[in-house]
């Protein structure tokens, strides 16, 4: 399965910072951040692992709690690292609600591809992009 998101330097740098791996340098033009999920085929474990690659350099070892010399990190370690930054649906709905109004993008919470597609036809471009991401 492949999930692809596109962003800008202004989204890549905060993501790096939230993961604790931002080096303070501005993201270069056409910067790329890859998060791969691996399931070992052998080695006595079936626990998934992650690998983080920034502009062609494996930086997994810079993630807090991940082995300092390994290119893969246990998924449970990564999940614990990002958990403080994640919102469940009710929290997201509250955080994204404009003052005194309905949620800005109610499409995100549906998680039903048919409903997302139908609603995306009526949404503006920004909402359409978020709706497509939520369908994964």
């Amino acid at each position: 399965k492949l999930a692809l998101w596109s962003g800008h330097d202004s989204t890549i740098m905060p993501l790096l910072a939230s993961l604790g791996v931002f080096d303070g340098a501005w993201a270069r033009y056409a910067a790329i951040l890859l998060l791969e999920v691996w399931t070992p085929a052998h080695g006595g474990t079936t626990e998934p692992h992650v690998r983080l690659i920034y502009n062609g350099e494996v930086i997994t070892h810079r993630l807090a709690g991940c082995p300092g010399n390994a290119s893969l990190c246990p998924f449970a370690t990564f999940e614990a690292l990002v958990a403080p930054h994640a919102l469940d649906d009710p929290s997201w709905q509250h955080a994204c609600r404009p003052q005194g109004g309905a949620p800005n993008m109610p499409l995100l919470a549906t998680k039903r591809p048919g409903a997302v597609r139908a609603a995306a036809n009526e949404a503006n471009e920004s909402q359409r992009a978020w709706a497509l991401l939520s369908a994964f």
Side-chain angles (χ1 to χ4, degrees):
K1 180 177 179 178
L2 171 70
L4 179 66
W5 290 272
S6 177
H8 295 277
D9 53 357
S10 60
T11 54
I12 288 178
M13 293 182 304
L15 181 56
L16 290 169
S18 69
L19 294 172
V21 297
F22 182 55
D23 61 6
W26 200 270
R28 66 174 171 82
Y29 179 74
I32 185 169
L33 179 64
L34 302 171
L35 176 64
E36 300 174 339
V37 179
W38 290 70
T39 302
H42 52 77
T45 181
T46 58
E47 178 187 6
H49 285 65
V50 298
R51 180 164 71 167
L52 189 64
I53 304 168
Y54 181 55
N55 292 329
E57 176 188 354
V58 176
I59 61 170
T60 311
H61 62 281
R62 292 171 40 195
L63 292 168
C66 294
N69 60 350
S71 66
L72 296 176
C73 181
F75 187 83
T77 303
F78 179 77
E79 188 175 31
L81 178 67
V82 300
H85 306 288
L87 296 174
D88 57 13
D89 279 343
S91 298
W92 177 89
Q93 290 280 342
H94 183 272
C96 295
R97 185 176 304 280
Q99 291 182 348
N104 284 330
M105 295 177 276
L107 316 175
L108 274 176
T110 67
K111 298 288 183 187
R112 293 184 326 229
V116 169
R117 247 182 253 111
N121 290 334
E122 299 177 5
N124 67 39
E125 186 175 28
S126 175
Q127 290 175 318
R128 191 175 308 116
W130 280 109
L132 293 174
L133 290 176
S134 70
F136 291 109

